[in-house]
Amino acid sequence: MFFVVNKDKIVSCAMVIAIVFSMLFVANTLRDNRAVIQTAGSIRKELPIYSVNTNEPKVALTINSAWHADDIDMILEILEKHGVNITFFMVGDWVERFPEAVKRIHGAGHEIANHSDTHPHVSNLNHDRNVEEIQRASERVKAITGEGTRLYRPPYGEYNDTVIKAARTANHIAIQWSIDTLDYKSLTRRTNVAKN
């Protein structure tokens, strides 16, 4: 069998090949763009736990222990009087300064959790530095109680994806609050009543 090839057939064949390759290129580009759009649409911000759904009438009470320990005995007495256990989120350097308070809290059956080692603005730290803050605080707690921490509350309530991922890397669950008492603003019951 013989094929007769002339100039017109060569040009036609070249054009068909060029069109096919162009169509494959466009199809591949659209597919890549669709993947980017899908990826962009599925990107989600990392979040800590603010609350959990339950059918039981329960609340979780927490205290951040970061500055002083003057009121620990009074707090523990009130909690014991009412049969309530809470979670104390402790800063590592607070643990170092007040080991006896840590022992009393732990001995009373309250959960001890992590509030970083030095209470920095963690959103400004890189992943490794965040992990270090969490691990160091947990080590300080473990040195006193024999148990490390598993829950982590970022200082100042600040977080970003790096902070939440660092908590996971350090085998901690990031916990936030849903209601803030604003006690650090020196509000009292009288102040709140007067404002309402």
Side-chain angles (χ1 to χ4, degrees):
M1 181 175 270
F2 293 97
F3 292 99
V4 178
V5 179
N6 65 28
K7 184 178 173 185
D8 289 338
K9 284 187 178 180
I10 293 174
V11 170
S12 293
C13 186
M15 292 207 32
V16 167
I17 291 171
I19 290 171
V20 168
F21 278 115
S22 295
M23 289 174 62
L24 288 172
F25 176 77
V26 169
N28 192 41
T29 302
L30 288 174
R31 185 192 59 170
D32 290 345
N33 286 339
R34 189 172 60 246
V36 169
I37 292 166
Q38 287 173 348
T39 302
S42 65
I43 292 175
R44 65 179 185 79
K45 182 175 174 54
E46 298 283 341
L47 297 173
I49 295 173
Y50 280 87
S51 64
V52 294
N53 292 329
T54 178
N55 292 328
E56 300 177 51
K58 289 188 176 184
V59 297
L61 299 176
T62 66
I63 291 178
N64 295 343
S65 302
W67 290 276
H68 59 81
D70 309 359
D71 50 4
I72 291 298
D73 290 331
M74 179 186 66
I75 291 169
L76 290 176
E77 183 181 312
I78 292 168
L79 293 172
E80 182 180 10
K81 178 181 175 184
H82 296 284
V84 174
N85 281 2
I86 69 170
T87 303
F88 286 81
F89 284 90
M90 297 181 180
V91 174
D93 59 15
W94 187 90
V95 170
E96 190 77 14
R97 287 192 325 266
F98 304 108
E100 292 306 313
V102 175
K103 288 177 187 174
R104 288 194 303 277
I105 291 166
H106 183 259
H110 300 286
E111 182 174 26
I112 296 178
N114 195 313
H115 195 40
S116 80
D117 193 46
T118 62
H119 209 271
H121 288 279
V122 291
S123 293
N124 298 332
L125 304 179
N126 67 26
H127 180 271
D128 292 343
R129 185 72 177 92
N130 270 288
V131 170
E132 184 181 312
E133 279 284 328
I134 297 166
Q135 289 175 335
R136 181 70 180 122
S138 186
E139 289 165 7
R140 290 186 196 230
V141 169
K142 187 172 184 177
I144 293 172
T145 67
E147 300 172 15
T149 56
R150 58 189 182 90
L151 302 178
Y152 171 64
R153 172 172 287 156
Y156 307 104
E158 295 176 355
Y159 64 88
N160 56 23
D161 288 356
T162 300
V163 172
I164 304 303
K165 288 176 183 175
R168 277 201 302 270
T169 298
N171 295 314
H172 280 68
I173 300 168
I175 304 291
Q176 197 64 302
W177 59 83
S178 57
I179 298 174
D180 189 348
T181 62
L182 303 175
D183 59 307
Y184 51 89
K185 292 189 174 193
S186 300
L187 298 177
T188 65
R189 183 175 185 179
R190 179 173 291 165
T191 306
N192 287 337
V193 169
K195 286 185 177 182
N196 291 333

